[in-house]
Amino acid sequence: MQQALLEAQAAAEREEVPVGAIIVDADGAIIARAGNQVLADHDPTAHAELLAIRAAAHTLGSERLTGCDLYVTLEPCPMCAQAISFARIRRLYYGAADPKGGGVDNGPSLYNQPTCHHEPEVYGGMRETEAAALLQHFFQSRRQTS
């Protein structure tokens, strides 16, 4: 999770919402890392999770990331949660919960739906205090400058 937090910090330095993600293979080696790039790419889908999934799929030469684990600093939104399912990610570890925009344990709870094709193992709350503090500081500083 430390590496995902570093990606989130780098995103904040680029004035992106500070969310970071890494994907590790079955041996625990990092095969992809990303931070949000929504503003830089002018792309509402450029969330850290999706960018990391794309990079990992490219690295492995497969759309299936079976045996891979994703670490992300914020509970994935419904779009990212669905992509995680489609990619067949083995385990999802996330930091801060997202009561308003989350799609895993909040909101639609995607993996609890009968139409969900693949449900990863989910572990929330990893280094939650640090992940939440990054987000809180980012949005507080934006409110002060507006």
Side-chain angles (χ1 to χ4, degrees):
M1 186 58 84
Q2 177 61 33
Q3 294 299 311
L5 286 164
L6 291 173
E7 291 296 325
Q9 183 61 46
E13 291 167 7
R14 295 188 310 269
E15 299 187 18
E16 298 277 359
V17 174
V19 177
I22 64 160
I23 296 179
V24 299
D25 65 15
D27 297 323
I30 296 174
I31 59 170
R33 60 179 63 235
N36 275 2
Q37 290 184 197
V38 172
L39 299 175
D41 292 355
H42 306 289
D43 180 355
T45 69
H47 291 194
E49 302 95 309
L50 290 183
L51 297 173
I53 288 169
R54 290 173 188 151
H58 180 76
T59 296
L60 296 178
S62 174
E63 74 282 3
R64 301 276 189 230
L65 303 180
T66 307
C68 293
D69 301 335
L70 182 131
Y71 293 78
V72 63
T73 58
L74 181 65
E75 177 186 353
C77 71
M79 172 182 68
C80 293
Q82 188 67 52
I84 291 163
S85 177
F86 287 159
R88 305 297 195 263
I89 297 280
R90 176 177 58 180
R91 293 184 194 107
L92 165 64
Y93 299 91
Y94 72 84
D98 188 353
K100 290 184 182 179
V104 176
D105 290 323
N106 289 288
S109 299
L110 183 79
Y111 304 137
N112 294 328
Q113 301 304 316
T115 56
C116 182
H117 296 290
H118 170 75
E119 178 185 350
E121 294 176 33
V122 176
Y123 303 92
M126 294 199 58
R127 298 185 70 173
E128 181 174 17
T129 302
E130 293 167 78
L134 267 174
L135 289 157
Q136 289 166 349
H137 176 72
F138 176 79
F139 286 112
Q140 284 172 351
S141 67
R142 290 187 63 126
R143 282 191 288 274
Q144 291 170 356
T145 60
S146 344

